[in-house]
Each structure stands twice: as C-alpha cells, then as structure tokens.
Amino acid sequence: MYRAGHLGMALIWTLPALLLGYLTAGVAATILLSVTAVAVASLPDWDQRIPIVSHRGFSHTIWFAGLITAITTAGALTFWPQIASLLFEHEPYPETVQSLATIQPQIAAGLIGSTVLLSLLSHIFADSLTVGSGKYGIQPVWPLSRRELRFGYCRADSTVWNYGLLLTGSLLYGLFLWILVN
Ligand SMILES: [Zn+2]
C-alpha cells in the first residue's frame, strides 16, 4: 500500500486510542495522538531508503512495531514533562492545548504508546491486503516463521484502494471529531 492508504488505515485503527485520549485528556490530546498516528503510519516503508535491508522485511513485523512502541513509550515516560512544556505551554495557545503539559507522564506514555502500536500494526494489515507474496510478502512474525499474512485483494499501487482508504479514514476521523466537539 502507498502512503495515502496507510494514512487512512492508521486513522481507522487508532480511533480507540484517540477516544481514550479524549476521555482522559480532552480534544487536544486526541488531535496530538492523531498527528502521532499519521507520523508513524508509513515508518515501516522507510526500509526502502536503506540499501542493505529488503523491503517488507523486519520493519513489517510485530517485533518492529513492538520495538518502536517500547522506544516511544519509554521516551514519553522519561521526557514528557519537558517536551510538553516546550511545545504546548505558550501564552497565545488555548487552555486545552496548554493543559497537555499537565498530563501525567504515565498517562501520556500509555496513550502515545498505544497509538504508535495501533498505527504500526495497521501498516502491516494494510500491506497484507495487497497481492504481494514471496519477496514482497508480509511475514509478521519473521524470523520465527515465514508464514505470510496475505489477503490479496489489490495491488499495492491501486489508486482505488489507496485513496478509498484515505477517504474512509478521513471521513471516520472527521465524524469522530465532530461527535466529540458537539
Ligand atoms: Zn509497507
């Protein structure tokens, strides 16, 4: 799947984490988490920029998703107060944004970690919808097993699927935000 498709799928998959963010820290947290979801949605495809690793290899496994989740969770747990204060505690910002700096590091880490995990798992799932197999197959538990997760509904470059997912994800996200603020 291409970037557009991954973005849409990440917005769909992370809705539970975004709702949790809203319930614990308000709409600013929801928006922050959705930015996080979008930011990491295509991270596994950065493997194409590294010449020595194969595309759809380790970066498309649950281990990679777990590793990045562990790193971001630990980072948030350690540095949240400093980072949040630097980014959000500014006078012209509305109170909802500034209040992000008051979220407990444990809560921020839990919310960010679950968003990152869901977004990365959605990447693996979206790619498994494509016809890619063998060299381009999705092997989520490699190297434990080479078993492929493959639904084979579309080609990775399918315009209909990529933009269909982007549209579906955007509409659901928009509806979700609309419900939250109304
Ligand atoms: Zn991919």
Side-chain angles (χ1 to χ4, degrees):
M1 212 62 84
Y2 283 7
R3 207 178 170 83
H6 284 305
L7 209 151
M9 190 63 94
L11 284 174
I12 298 168
W13 273 54
T14 54
L15 281 176
L18 303 190
L19 178 63
L20 209 61
Y22 175 75
L23 294 175
T24 47
V27 75
T30 301
I31 293 173
L32 175 71
L33 293 174
S34 57
V35 171
T36 307
V38 167
V40 299
S42 290
L43 182 65
D45 286 343
W46 285 22
D47 60 359
Q48 292 175 98
R49 301 176 188 189
I50 308 169
I52 47 164
V53 299
S54 60
H55 179 41
R56 292 187 163 185
F58 175 68
S59 68
H60 288 64
T61 63
I62 56 169
W63 319 122
F64 177 80
L67 178 70
I68 300 297
T69 300
I71 292 170
T72 45
T73 304
L77 206 53
T78 316
F79 302 113
W80 178 256
Q82 293 84 348
I83 293 171
S85 163
L86 191 72
L87 292 177
F88 309 120
E89 261 185 341
H90 297 289
E91 220 16 87
Y93 291 172
E95 211 170 294
T96 42
V97 174
Q98 292 201 46
S99 69
L100 288 172
T102 62
I103 301 175
Q104 294 290 316
Q106 294 90 330
I107 291 175
L111 291 172
I112 292 170
S114 49
T115 303
V116 167
L117 182 64
L118 286 173
S119 183
L120 291 174
L121 292 179
S122 85
H123 185 110
I124 297 174
F125 178 71
D127 277 346
S128 76
L129 298 177
T130 68
V131 293
S133 65
K135 188 170 176 284
Y136 292 113
I138 299 299
Q139 300 168 353
V141 293
W142 178 86
L144 276 192
S145 159
R146 286 204 170 272
R147 212 179 154 137
E148 290 182 1
L149 180 67
R150 180 179 179 273
F151 295 97
Y153 294 140
C154 61
R155 283 171 52 97
D157 62 358
S158 163
T159 306
V160 173
W161 274 81
N162 276 291
Y163 287 96
L165 276 171
L166 178 63
L167 188 69
T168 309
S170 304
L171 285 175
L172 278 174
Y173 176 66
L175 180 70
F176 171 76
L177 274 189
W178 184 80
I179 292 170
L180 291 189
V181 297
N182 281 285

